[in-house]
Amino acid sequence: MNFEIMRRKMVQDQIVSRGIRDRRVIDAMLRIPRHIFVQEAFAAQAYNDKALPIGEKQTISQPYVVALMTEKLALTGTEKVLEIGTGSGYQTALLATLADRVFSAERIRPLALRARKCLDSLKLFNVQLRINDNEGSPIGWEEEAPFDAVIVTAGAPEVPTILTDQLAKGGRLVIPVGTDSEQQLLIIVKDEAGDLLYEPSVMCRFVPLIGRQGWQA
Ligand code: SAH
C-alpha cells in the first residue's frame, strides 16, 4: 500500500478541490501520515473521505473538516494554540506543524497515551498533552492562557465562556456548536477591544464535548 500516493490523492480530491487555499495547511496535510493515527485495522481507509472510529466510542474527523477548521485558525507559525479533544492526535500533529506551541487536552487516557506515541514518533515535541479524566475538571487550560488560537474538536451545546475567556485579543476560536446529532462550525474572533465576533460556517457532526460547559457524560 502506497500511503504517500493515497495522501496526495486525498489532498487533491478532498482538500484542494473543495476550496482549501492556505498553502501551509495543504503542505502540512501532504506531510503528516494520517494512517499512523488510526487503528491498524483502519490504516487502509485512513485517506478516505470520512471520519473513522479510533476506539473508546470516539472518532478521527473527516480530512476535509480537519483542513477547514485548521484553515479557519489562520495560523502563521508563531501562535500558542489550545486544542480540546486530542483524540487520535492527527489534528494535534497538524497544529504542531503550523504553530509555535500546542497544548492539547483529552479526557480519555488511553487515547491521549496513544496520541503521545504517534506525536513522538514524528518528533513533534512542541506539544503538551493533558489528561482531563476527572469529571469535575473544567474545559480549557487556564494556567497556560491566553491562547492565540483555540480549536475544539468535539461538539458543544453552546460556546463555553471558559474558552472565550482564555482567548487572547486578536485570537480565534473554532468550535462546533449545536445538538448532540448536528452542529454548526463557528469561528469566533476576539477583537482588540475584547469583543467577540461570530462567523458561522458549515454544518458538521462531532462526538460530544463532555464537561461543565459541555454535555453530561
Ligand atoms: N481531533 C480528534 C478528534 C477526536 S474526537 C481527532 O481527529 O482524532 C473528540 C475527542 O474529544 C474525543 O477523544 C473525546 O474524548 C474528547 N473530549 C470530549 N470532551 C472533552 C473535554 N471536556 N476535554 C478534553 N477532551 C474531550
Side-chain angles (χ1 to χ4, degrees):
M1 209 154 338
N2 190 324
F3 289 118
E4 201 178 327
I5 291 177
M6 291 161 84
R7 189 154 64 244
R8 257 188 263 146
K9 191 167 159 39
M10 169 194 86
V11 170
Q12 187 51 47
D13 297 353
Q14 303 172 38
I15 308 301
V16 175
S17 72
R18 290 188 187 143
I20 300 297
R21 288 288 169 265
D22 186 329
R23 193 64 240 175
R24 297 180 73 244
V25 173
I26 294 168
D27 286 344
M29 292 193 81
L30 284 170
R31 259 204 323 279
I32 302 294
R34 183 173 159 94
H35 61 275
I36 72 165
F37 291 91
V38 302
Q39 292 169 330
E40 245 172 73
F42 289 101
Q45 298 179 50
Y47 297 97
N48 291 1
D49 191 12
K50 59 178 186 183
L52 291 171
I54 54 172
E56 311 283 342
K57 298 197 193 123
Q58 308 302 321
T59 53
I60 178 173
S61 305
Q62 182 193 4
Y64 172 68
V65 173
V66 174
L68 182 66
M69 292 176 83
T70 309
E71 184 173 66
K72 295 289 187 192
L73 291 176
L75 300 170
T76 64
T78 60
E79 294 83 4
K80 184 175 182 183
V81 182
L82 171 66
E83 176 186 42
I84 307 295
T86 316
S88 66
Y90 174 65
Q91 170 80 72
T92 322
L94 291 170
L95 297 171
T97 307
L98 293 166
D100 181 35
R101 283 193 293 161
V102 180
F103 296 81
S104 183
E106 170 55 55
R107 57 182 288 280
I108 301 178
R109 183 172 294 269
L111 293 180
L113 297 179
R114 187 174 187 283
R116 173 88 275 163
K117 282 196 190 136
C118 294
L119 294 164
D120 285 352
S121 76
L122 297 177
K123 301 192 166 52
L124 294 170
F125 299 128
N126 58 339
V127 179
Q128 282 195 51
L129 298 186
R130 169 149 108 178
I131 299 168
N132 266 348
D133 56 1
N134 175 344
E135 285 313 324
S137 57
I139 295 166
W141 200 319
E142 201 169 5
E143 307 88 299
E144 291 292 344
F147 297 95
D148 305 303
V150 178
I151 178 169
V152 182
T153 60
E158 58 191 10
V159 180
T161 52
I162 196 163
L163 292 181
T164 51
D165 286 349
Q166 291 178 20
L167 202 55
K169 287 181 178 165
R172 303 167 76 86
L173 163 66
V174 176
I175 180 170
V177 176
T179 66
D180 55 354
S181 60
E182 194 181 40
Q183 305 92 32
Q184 182 162 36
L185 199 61
L186 291 181
I187 297 95
I188 298 158
V189 181
K190 188 181 268 190
D191 69 14
E192 294 302 328
D195 292 327
L196 301 175
L197 312 168
Y198 293 77
E199 179 202 320
S201 181
V202 298
M203 299 306 293
C204 50
R205 191 181 175 143
F206 277 82
V207 296
L209 178 73
I210 307 293
R212 238 186 272 164
Q213 292 191 348
W215 300 96
Q216 271 195 333

